[in-house]
Amino acid sequence: MESCFSTTISSSSSSSSSPFSIFSIQGSSSNVGRKFSKSCMHPQLLSCQLPKPFLQLNGRPKYRLNQRRSAYLSSATYKDPISAEKQGWDLGRIFKTLYFFNGPPSPAKIVEFIIEKLSGSSPEESEKKMGTSDYVLVVGATGGVGRRVVNNLRKKGLPVKALVRNEEKARKMLGPDIELIVGDITKESTLVAQYFKGVKKVINAASVIIGPKEGDTPDRAKYSQGVKFFEPEIKGDSPEMVEYIGMKNLINAVKESVGLRTGKLLFGFEDQLSKELDWGALDDVVMGGVSESTFQIDRTGGEGGKPTGLFKGIVSTANNGGFTSIRTKNFSSPVDLKAYDGFELRLKGDGRRYKLIVRTSTDWDTVGYTASFDTIGGRWQSIRLPFSSLRPVFRAQTVSDAPPFNPSNVVSFQLMFSKFEYDGKLNPTFVEGPFELPLSTIKAYIKDPITPRFVHVSSAGVTRPDRPGIDLSKQPPAVRLNKELDFVLTFKLKGEDLIRESGIPYTIVRPCALTEEPAGADLVFDQGDNITGKISREEIALICIAALESPYACDKTFEVKSVVPFSEPFTVDPENPPPEKDYNIYFQTLKDGITGKESLEQSAIAV
C-alpha cells in the first residue's frame, strides 16, 4: 500500500500484522507517514463498539464505517475535482476499519512483534533466500520404466522426487542423493499433501505386479522376457487397489500441486462452484480522505442472473484523498498457486482502470504485488494478469530490490480504484463520484499452450477384453487372461478414466509388450487400442519425459510399439547409435477424444 498510517495500537488477528505500521494504502502518492498523537489514544476509542452496519460481507451485514455522508458526495458523476472545506480525520471509521482487519488490541501481539523483528529477517528477506524448484514426481520409481524415467530426468538436470514404498531399495537402486517421498498409493494416509510441495509435474509408472506362478529369478529375468513366456499371476496388491483406488489417491494428493486445465477458483461463483472471502472496505479515510466503498454479494446481478460480488462506492479527492478499495482478511493458510501462471478476473467493466494487489506476507504494512487493468464499459470481460506482470509496490513506489512475486504463498487480495498509479503517475481514467464494479470470479489460470502435468503409463489392450467380435487367440496374454488376472485391464481402464475426468492436463501412454531392449527403433503411434507388438522400456521412459513439454501430447491417449517384430531382437551399435528422436513428430499425429472405448460404447448402443 502506498501511504502509511501508523499508530501504537496492536493487532491480535492471526495475520501477524505489525502493531506499529497498521495502514499502508496503495492509493496515495505520499510517502509521509501520518501518526496519532497520544491525545488521540483515548480509552473510549480503543474500546468503542461497532454499532451500525457498514457493508455486506458474503451477504451478511457487518458494520458501517461512516453512516454520515458528506453533503458534497452526491450520486452524480464528477468530472472536475470536488472542492470542500477540509475536514478532520474520521477517527471512528479509521478504528472500525482497523478492528475489522486486525481485531482488538493485544499487548501480547506487541511483544510478539518486537521479538520477531529483533530475532528474525523480514518476510521479504525470507522470500529472497527461499529456493524454489519445479519438481517432476516419478511414481513407481523403482520399476522397470520408473527407474529409467528417473535416470533420464537427472541426466537432463531436472529436479526429481521419487514416490517409493521401500526407502532402502530405492536408495540402492537410485542412489543416495535422490529426493524420496516414502508412501504407498494404495494407502491414502501415507500421501501427505506437504510431501508434494514444489511438485509441478508427475510421471506415473506405478503398476500392479504380474509375475510367474512358479516364481522368478532374483533379477526378475522371466518377468523381463515378457508375460507371453510364463504363466502369470498377480503378486501383491490387487489391480483394483493399485490401478483404480491407487490412482484416485494419487490424483487427490497431487491435484493442488500440478494444477487444473480450467484453473483454480479463488473467489466467486462459477457453474456449481462457489468460493467466498471476507472482504472489507479500506478507503482513503486512513489518510484523512472521505471516500467510501462497500462490497456485497448480489445474488442475481451476475451473468445470466447468477450471483456476483459487487465493489461499489463514491470516491472523492477532498482532504487529499482519492481512492477506495476492498481487501480480504488474511487467509487462514497461504494459498499455493505455483502450478499456475496468472490471475484471471471475470467482471463487468465501467471503462475505468483498477488495480489488483496481491500479498505474500501476513504483515500489514508490506509490499503489495500490483497490476493495473483497464475495463470496457457495460461489458462482461475476462482480464488476465500474468504473475510476471505483478510489480512490487510499497507506498506508491516500485520496490526495485524486492523479491519476485511468490505464487506459492498468497495470503490476501485487494481491489482498488484510485487516482494514483505508481511512482508519481496518475490514473488516466480517474473520475470522482459513484462507481460500481461487478466481480464474479478471481481465478488462477494456466497459460497457453498448455502442456501435460500428469503422464501415465497404462497398457495397450485395456478396452479389448469386453470388445465384441474380437479374436482372443490373436491377443496378448493380458487380454486373454484379464478375468484370471483379477480384471487387471478393466481396472487400468477405470484408472485412465479417473485421469481424464480429473481436470489435470494429462497424457496417457499405452505401451505394447515391454522389453529390455535399448531405445532407438522406429516407432508406430496409434489410437483406438488396436495394435500389438513390443516396445523398449527405455523408449517409453523417453516418450513420457518428452510428453511433459509437448502441447501436442496434452489430453491425448495413444498406443505405441516399435516396427521390429517379436521374432527379431533389436540391438544398437555403440559406435553408431541411432539419432535422438523428435517425439513431437509423433505427438502431432494424435487426435483428441480417441481412447478405444468408442467401440464399447457403440456396441452397448446396438444392444
Side-chain angles (χ1 to χ4, degrees), residues 52-57 59-65 100 279-281 293-296 326:
K52 300 177 182 179
F54 81 91
L55 75 159
Q56 296 285 323
L57 290 177
R60 302 186 301 273
K62 294 295 181 182
Y63 301 101
R64 185 168 181 80
L65 287 174
F100 174 78
W279 298 88
S293 66
T294 69
F295 184 79
Q296 60 194 48
I326 51 171

Side-chain angles (χ1 to χ4, degrees), residues 77-79 315 322 349-355 372-377 416-421 425-435 437:
T77 299
Y78 294 89
K79 297 184 179 179
V315 64
D350 59 2
R352 302 179 185 182
R353 178 176 295 178
Y354 292 83
K355 295 178 188 176
S372 296
F373 58 92
D374 293 309
T375 66
I376 301 173
M416 176 174 287
F417 178 49
S418 175
K419 173 183 176 181
F420 309 101
E421 284 284 287
K425 296 181 180 179
L426 298 178
N427 180 353
T429 70
F430 179 76
V431 179
E432 294 190 66
F435 69 93
L437 186 72

Side-chain angles (χ1 to χ4, degrees), residues 304-355:
K306 296 179 180 179
T308 185
L310 183 61
F311 172 34
K312 62 185 294 186
I314 297 178
V315 64
S316 168
T317 58
N319 282 19
N320 295 320
F323 69 87
T324 61
S325 77
I326 51 171
R327 177 172 169 173
T328 65
K329 290 184 177 180
N330 285 343
F331 306 146
S332 56
S333 58
V335 178
D336 186 351
L337 300 178
K338 207 167 189 298
Y340 300 93
D341 298 297
F343 295 106
E344 181 176 271
L345 285 62
R346 185 67 181 172
L347 51 81
K348 186 177 182 180
D350 59 2
R352 302 179 185 182
R353 178 176 295 178
Y354 292 83
K355 295 178 188 176

